[in-house]
């Protein structure tokens, strides 16, 4: 039960079906990748593992994950036509069914690569039931980030005063864990939060930290 914050996480979200784990969860994974990417996607490559590899076509996982990448909610009536919507936007899509065990240790695994001419990211995540997901690895801007717990997750670059940022976040949500990463491009700070940020607080943070990712 540690991965669920309320009974609604177990019941599942209001959604376009057929499956909370394979459809609603897939929308959430696509949306997480979109948040990390921060730009116009032109190419999508998705590697499926285990249960996702075996059932993605029949359970709507394909259109669901693309719906999330396009920014649709799990209950949006356009979720089932997300593949056609992506085609109209000239987004190329490739699904790959892997025959080996999940590299992140979960049967409902998708590794999502998003690209355009100047930018690319990779997100490895899994759907753990009821529309709830976990992100196990993110590759972005020269960083490899490995979250340890459930969402929400905040990633921030270009921080001149980390202590000031941490104090500010502690007033908005309990910080379960925080880590820092270093690359040739500078520093990135990861905050795993206990509760979601309010929309107004997130907007204020994004105004002060433009290179902010919130999942």
């Amino acid at each position: 039960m540690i991965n669920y914050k309320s009974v609604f996480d177990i019941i599942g979200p209001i959604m376009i079906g057929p499956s909370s784990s394979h459809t609603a969860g897939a929308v959430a994974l696509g949306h997480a990748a979109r948040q990390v990417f921060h730009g116009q996607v032109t190419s999508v490559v998705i590697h499926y593992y285990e249960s996702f590899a075996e059932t993605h076509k029949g359970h709507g996982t394909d259109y669901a994950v693309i719906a999330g990448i396009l920014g649709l909610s799990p209950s949006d009536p356009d979720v089932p036509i997300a593949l056609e919507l992506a085609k109209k936007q000239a987004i190329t899509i490739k699904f790959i069914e892997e025959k080996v065990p999940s590299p992140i240790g979960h049967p409902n695994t998708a590794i999502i690569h998003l690209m355009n001419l100047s930018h690319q990211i990779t997100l490895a995540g899994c759907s753990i039931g009821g529309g709830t997901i976990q992100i196990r690895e993110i590759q972005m801007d020269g960083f490899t980030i490995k979250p340890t717990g459930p969402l929400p997750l905040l990633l921030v670059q270009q921080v001149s005063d980390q202590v000031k940022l941490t104090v500010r976040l502690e007033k908005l949500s309990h910080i379960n864990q925080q880590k820092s990463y270093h690359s040739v491009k500078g520093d990135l700070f990861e905050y795993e939060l206990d509760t979601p940020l309010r929309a107004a607080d997130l907007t204020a943070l994004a105004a002060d930290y433009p290179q902010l990712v919130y999942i």
Side-chain angles (χ1 to χ4, degrees), residues 114-190:
L114 302 185
M115 293 154 275
N116 61 24
L117 290 176
S118 61
H119 183 46
Q120 64 178 345
I121 67 100
T122 298
L123 180 143
C126 51
S127 176
I128 63 174
T132 303
I133 64 170
Q134 287 187 349
I135 306 302
R136 301 287 177 85
E137 182 173 301
I138 298 169
Q139 296 177 24
M140 57 176 283
D141 300 332
F143 299 98
T144 297
I145 301 138
K146 295 190 175 183
T148 57
L151 303 179
L153 175 70
L154 189 73
L155 306 174
V156 192
Q157 297 183 59
Q158 301 295 334
V159 177
S160 58
D161 187 338
Q162 188 203 3
V163 173
K164 181 179 178 180
L165 171 60
T166 301
V167 170
R168 184 173 175 180
L169 286 173
E170 286 174 337
K171 295 178 180 178
L172 304 177
S173 176
H174 176 72
I175 299 171
N176 289 328
Q177 178 136 210
Q178 67 181 79
K179 292 184 280 185
S180 60
Y181 301 84
H182 310 279
S183 81
V184 295
K185 293 190 176 183
D187 297 327
L188 180 146
F189 300 101
E190 172 195 346

Side-chain angles (χ1 to χ4, degrees), residues 3 8 42 85:
N3 293 323
F8 298 104
T42 58
L85 296 176

Side-chain angles (χ1 to χ4, degrees), residues 18 48 51-63 95 97:
Y48 290 130
S51 178
F52 268 8
E54 296 168 0
T55 65
H56 64 100
K57 294 178 181 178
H59 284 184
T61 307
D62 294 352
Y63 62 68
F95 300 108
E97 299 172 357

